[in-house]
Amino acid sequence: MNIAIYTLTSELHNEQSVAKATEEFLATISADFDFCGNNYESYGSAPLSLLYIRTGGTEGIFKRIYKELMAKSSAPFYLLTSGKSNSLAASMEILSFLRQQGIQGEILHGSTAYINQRIHLLLQVGKARRKLQGCRLGIIGKPSDWLISSEANREIVLEKLGITLIDIPMQELLTAIDSIAEPKIDETQMQKAPNEGIRKALPGALRIYHALKTLVEKYQLQGFTLRCFDLLSTVHNTGCWALAQFNSEGIVASCEGDVPAMLSMKIAHALTGCTGFQANPARINPDTGEMLFAHCTIPFCMTERYELDTHFESGIGVGIRGFVKPGPITIFKLSGDLSRHFAEEGELLSCQSESGLCRTQQIIRFSQPSLTHYFLTNPIGNHHIILPSHCKSLLEELRLSE
C-alpha cells in the first residue's frame, strides 16, 4: 500500500453518524489508500501515513499514543480533517502540542482539490524517503583541497536520511583502472570526438568508467563522489565521461569529492528521477537575475545533444559540452550538516560554448533578480545542482533543514 489512513475519534460522538461522514469525506480523496481505522499496528509501514481526526475531543487520545506512533515512523504527523464535528479545532490543538515538543506536523484541510494536491505531493516525498533509507554513497578519495566548506556530518546524514557514507581510497580506483583492458570504443562516440587527441583519450575515459563500475558493485553503492582531479596526474585523463554516463544510468556521481553536492543530487534523484547538472557559477548579474553556470560534465540523458572536448583546466582527457533545451529549471543545494538548503526556480535561457570556461555552459535567469544575492552573501559552497523542471515545492517538502 502507498497511503494508509488511521483515525482518531472521540467516544462522545455517535459512531453511525461519524462513519457516514467518514465515507463521504474519504470518497473525495483521489488516490488509492488503505483505511486502517484505529488499528495503529502498521502505522508508518506505508510511504504516507495520515491521521484522520474525525471529531473533536481527540486531543487526549493523541497525547497518549503519539510516542508509540513516533517509534514506528520518523515522518511528520499529517492530520487529515474534514472540518466537521470540531475536527479542525482538535487538529489545531494537536499540531500546537506537536510544535511545543519540536515535532513536525501539518493539518491537511481545505478544498477537495487542495487536499488531493497535498496528498499526492506528500506521497511522492514519502516514496523518496523510502528510496534514501539504507542508501550507500561512496567517497572515492577525499574532497578536493579547495572544497574547504564541502564536508558532511555523517551522523546527521545517517540519522535524517538513512544514508551511509563509505570511504574508498583513491589508490583502489587507480589499481582497478590498471586492471581494466582497453575497451572498444563505440563508433558513435568516436564521431563526437573533434580531433585525434580526444579520440586517443576516449579509451582511457572508458577505462575509468569500467573501473568505477567495479567499485560501485563491490561496495553496493547507489552513488559516489570522485576526487577527479587526481586522475589528471596519475592516469592523464578525466572522470567527466564516466560521471556523465553514471548519472544517465541513475547512479549519482558528483565531481571533485563534493559530498554535499552528491547528497543534493541523490535527494533530487529520489524525488524527481533526475540527478541534475552539478555546476558552479561563473558569472552573476544581480541587476537582471541572470547567471552563467559551467562544468565539464553533465548527464547525457539531460542533453538534446552533446560534444566531446578536453577537460577545461588541464586541456587533456575527455570533457562533455552538453546542450540542453531551454525551459524551467530549479537550482538546489543542501549543506553537509543538513542545517540549511537553497532551492529556487528559474529559466534556462540558452547554452553556449564560450572559450575559457568549463565545457557545458548554461545561462539561467531567476524570476526575481534579488535571488542572486544568496550566491554573493550566503552560498552553500560553489557547486549547485540544476534540475530540468520547476520542483521547488517538492524539494522543500522533504523538510531536511527543519
Side-chain angles (χ1 to χ4, degrees):
M1 65 180 168
N2 285 326
I3 301 173
I5 298 180
Y6 303 84
T7 61
L8 283 178
T9 312
S10 169
E11 295 177 356
L12 296 177
H13 287 76
N14 180 274
E15 177 57 35
Q16 186 174 357
S17 62
V18 170
K20 186 175 186 302
T22 296
E23 183 179 355
E24 292 173 352
F25 176 61
L26 294 184
T28 67
I29 295 178
S30 61
D32 293 330
F33 60 85
D34 286 336
F35 182 71
C36 303
N38 61 0
N39 180 2
Y40 311 116
E41 186 175 338
S42 63
Y43 185 85
S45 60
L48 177 61
S49 294
L50 304 176
L51 273 177
Y52 176 27
I53 312 301
R54 298 204 292 177
T55 70
T58 49
E59 299 90 334
I61 300 172
F62 178 82
K63 187 175 181 180
R64 289 196 299 271
I65 67 170
Y66 83 97
K67 289 184 179 178
E68 173 191 343
L69 301 183
M70 287 183 63
K72 295 174 180 288
S73 173
S74 60
F77 283 102
Y78 297 111
L79 309 176
L80 182 64
T81 171
S82 65
K84 295 182 178 181
S85 302
N86 283 324
S87 59
L88 177 57
S91 297
M92 292 173 64
E93 187 70 18
I94 290 171
L95 184 57
S96 177
F97 169 77
L98 289 172
R99 290 298 188 184
Q100 289 173 355
Q101 313 304 310
I103 301 169
Q104 296 179 15
E106 178 186 344
I107 298 170
L108 304 183
H109 175 78
S111 67
T112 297
Y114 173 79
I115 291 174
N116 280 307
Q117 181 268 333
R118 290 297 296 155
I119 286 175
H120 284 281
L121 186 66
L122 294 172
L123 176 58
Q124 198 170 349
V125 171
K127 288 180 176 179
R129 285 183 177 274
R130 290 291 180 89
K131 292 176 183 176
L132 295 173
Q133 283 294 320
C135 181
R136 294 165 58 86
L137 299 180
I139 305 171
I140 303 175
K142 297 178 180 179
S144 295
D145 295 342
W146 49 87
L147 295 182
I148 60 175
S149 71
S150 297
E151 296 281 356
N153 187 312
R154 294 166 185 256
E155 291 76 18
I156 292 177
V157 168
L158 180 60
E159 177 189 349
K160 285 196 171 185
L161 294 176
I163 292 176
T164 300
L165 300 177
I166 312 294
D167 289 309
I168 303 171
M170 193 69 187
Q171 184 57 50
E172 189 167 349
L173 173 61
L174 298 177
T175 301
I177 292 172
D178 287 341
S179 68
I180 301 292
E182 184 170 302
K184 184 178 180 181
I185 306 301
D186 182 87
E187 185 58 32
T188 303
Q189 292 294 325
M190 278 298 189
Q191 290 174 358
K192 293 182 181 295
N195 57 54
E196 186 63 23
I198 295 175
R199 283 191 285 272
K200 287 183 177 180
L202 261 175
L206 265 69
R207 285 177 71 197
I208 293 170
Y209 165 76
H210 288 294
L212 285 166
K213 197 165 189 176
T214 65
L215 298 186
V216 168
E217 293 171 353
K218 175 182 177 180
Y219 290 98
Q220 299 179 306
L221 303 178
Q222 287 76 51
F224 62 87
T225 185
L226 172 64
R227 187 181 167 97
C228 45
F229 274 72
D230 282 14
L231 298 175
L232 300 174
S233 59
T234 53
V235 297
H236 309 291
N237 214 313
T238 66
C240 303
W241 193 96
L243 301 190
Q245 182 62 26
F246 276 111
N247 280 311
S248 295
E249 296 171 359
I251 302 294
V252 169
S254 80
C255 312
E256 303 176 34
D258 191 328
V259 181
M262 172 180 64
L263 293 172
S264 301
M265 293 171 77
K266 183 60 188 176
I267 289 167
H269 184 257
L271 285 167
T272 71
C274 179
T275 60
F277 169 40
Q278 175 187 341
N280 50 266
R283 285 196 289 271
I284 299 174
N285 188 331
D287 296 323
T288 65
E290 289 188 11
M291 299 182 61
L292 173 60
F293 286 84
H295 231 220
C296 281
T297 186
I298 184 172
F300 293 131
C301 61
M302 287 183 66
T303 67
E304 287 189 303
R305 64 183 179 88
Y306 66 91
E307 303 167 353
L308 301 182
D309 201 337
T310 57
H311 175 253
F312 163 59
E313 286 91 345
S314 65
I316 66 173
V318 181
I320 313 297
R321 178 179 293 110
F323 296 88
V324 179
K325 183 179 179 180
I329 59 90
T330 302
I331 298 178
F332 176 55
K333 183 65 178 297
L334 181 69
S335 65
D337 62 0
L338 312 191
S339 64
R340 66 190 187 105
H341 70 275
F342 177 84
E344 292 294 345
E345 296 171 348
E347 297 291 319
L348 170 60
L349 301 181
S350 64
C351 295
Q352 62 177 42
S353 53
E354 178 183 328
S355 62
L357 288 172
C358 292
R359 304 315 185 187
T360 295
Q361 303 165 21
Q362 296 186 353
I363 299 176
I364 286 169
R365 182 172 61 205
F366 288 112
S367 57
Q368 301 175 44
S370 60
L371 292 175
T372 60
H373 295 171
Y374 151 82
F375 295 92
L376 301 175
T377 61
N378 196 26
I380 303 173
N382 66 12
H383 296 130
H384 284 67
I385 311 306
I386 302 172
L387 300 164
S389 63
H390 282 168
C391 54
K392 176 181 176 179
S393 61
L394 192 57
L395 294 163
E396 298 256 305
E397 202 57 62
L398 208 54
R399 304 186 182 187
L400 290 173
S401 54
E402 289 188 10

